[in-house]
Amino acid sequence: MKPDGLPLQELLAKAARGDHAAFACVYDRTHAHLFGLALRMLGREQAAEDVLQEAFVSIWKSAAQYRSSIDGHEVQPMTWLIAIVRNKALDALRSRARLKETELPDDAHDGAGEPLQGAGPSALELLSQASRTLQIEGCLNGLDGSYRQSLALAYYQGLSHSEVAAQMGAPLGSVKAWIRRGLEKLKACLTMQGPSL
């Protein structure tokens, strides 16, 4: 069977054994969704491309670490890939947040030293965004597997409810319930943590 006809899980297993064609198929099938996730998190196309490149290097090196089940919870390959991209994007947000406003590149100012319109968020805004992202990540990690996985597929990957159901191999009604309850639990967790910066 040609690599492009194999399930993502088998392609990752082949990539773990050094199969470049299988890895290329993983990339072809997933890069658009994963780029979209990085772009939504980072808000900048170049930053998203950099994160995606780092993520695929990491995926190539760690493909053997993918497990289809963790603690009795099924983990879809796409969820694993999303987690890698999300973590790389969070690292990029943390790095951005550590920059001081005085360390912004000179091209963010006009000749008179005034900030250019649309030059990007300030260091404080980036820190606030990173803080919110970390709060969300912490609350997501506290959810049961089905809630977490369905929310990740729906909101990080942008899949419809029926696409999430197909990806998870679960009934549509269950997926809708998991997403609704997951959002309720996420909201309750974030409310308990209080406002970020």
Side-chain angles (χ1 to χ4, degrees):
M1 181 180 249
K2 290 185 177 179
D4 57 357
L6 293 173
L8 203 49
Q9 188 170 338
E10 288 182 41
L11 290 172
L12 283 171
K14 284 178 163 288
R17 295 190 295 272
D19 187 327
H20 291 273
F23 182 71
C25 286
V26 170
Y27 178 84
D28 289 343
R29 256 192 232 173
T30 63
H31 77 277
H33 285 300
L34 297 176
F35 176 75
L37 163 63
L39 186 58
R40 283 192 297 276
M41 289 183 72
L42 298 167
R44 296 181 185 166
E45 200 166 307
Q46 184 59 53
E49 288 173 3
D50 292 344
V51 159
L52 192 63
Q53 182 177 356
E54 286 179 33
F56 272 102
V57 168
S58 181
I59 290 163
W60 171 253
K61 290 179 178 177
S62 62
Q65 295 175 11
Y66 168 70
R67 298 289 177 265
S68 61
S69 178
I70 298 175
D71 298 330
H73 294 287
E74 186 179 353
V75 178
Q76 294 292 329
M78 197 64 188
T79 304
W80 183 73
L81 296 172
I82 287 168
I84 291 172
V85 172
R86 187 189 69 194
N87 288 338
K88 294 288 182 190
L90 287 172
D91 289 345
L93 284 172
R94 288 183 198 110
S95 293
R96 264 200 229 166
R98 283 193 285 269
L99 287 175
K100 296 178 184 172
E101 285 183 302
T102 56
E103 294 173 341
L104 288 175
D106 290 338
D107 62 359
H109 295 83
D110 65 14
E114 293 295 317
L116 291 173
Q117 293 295 348
S122 69
L124 184 58
E125 290 167 333
L126 291 171
L127 180 61
S128 179
Q129 182 182 7
S131 175
R132 283 190 304 272
T133 302
L134 289 172
Q135 283 181 334
I136 292 169
E137 181 184 18
C139 288
L140 269 174
N141 288 337
L143 295 177
D144 291 338
S146 297
Y147 296 145
R148 184 172 58 244
Q149 186 177 359
S150 58
L151 286 173
L153 289 169
Y155 292 98
Y156 284 135
Q157 192 179 346
L159 298 182
S160 68
H161 287 166
S162 49
E163 289 171 328
V164 171
Q167 183 79 21
M168 294 180 69
L172 180 60
S174 297
V175 166
K176 287 181 177 179
W178 292 336
I179 291 173
R180 187 181 68 253
R181 290 186 194 127
L183 285 172
E184 290 168 359
K185 289 174 181 284
L186 192 58
K187 182 180 177 183
C189 175
L190 290 169
T191 301
M192 283 177 47
Q193 288 189 13
S196 59
L197 291 176

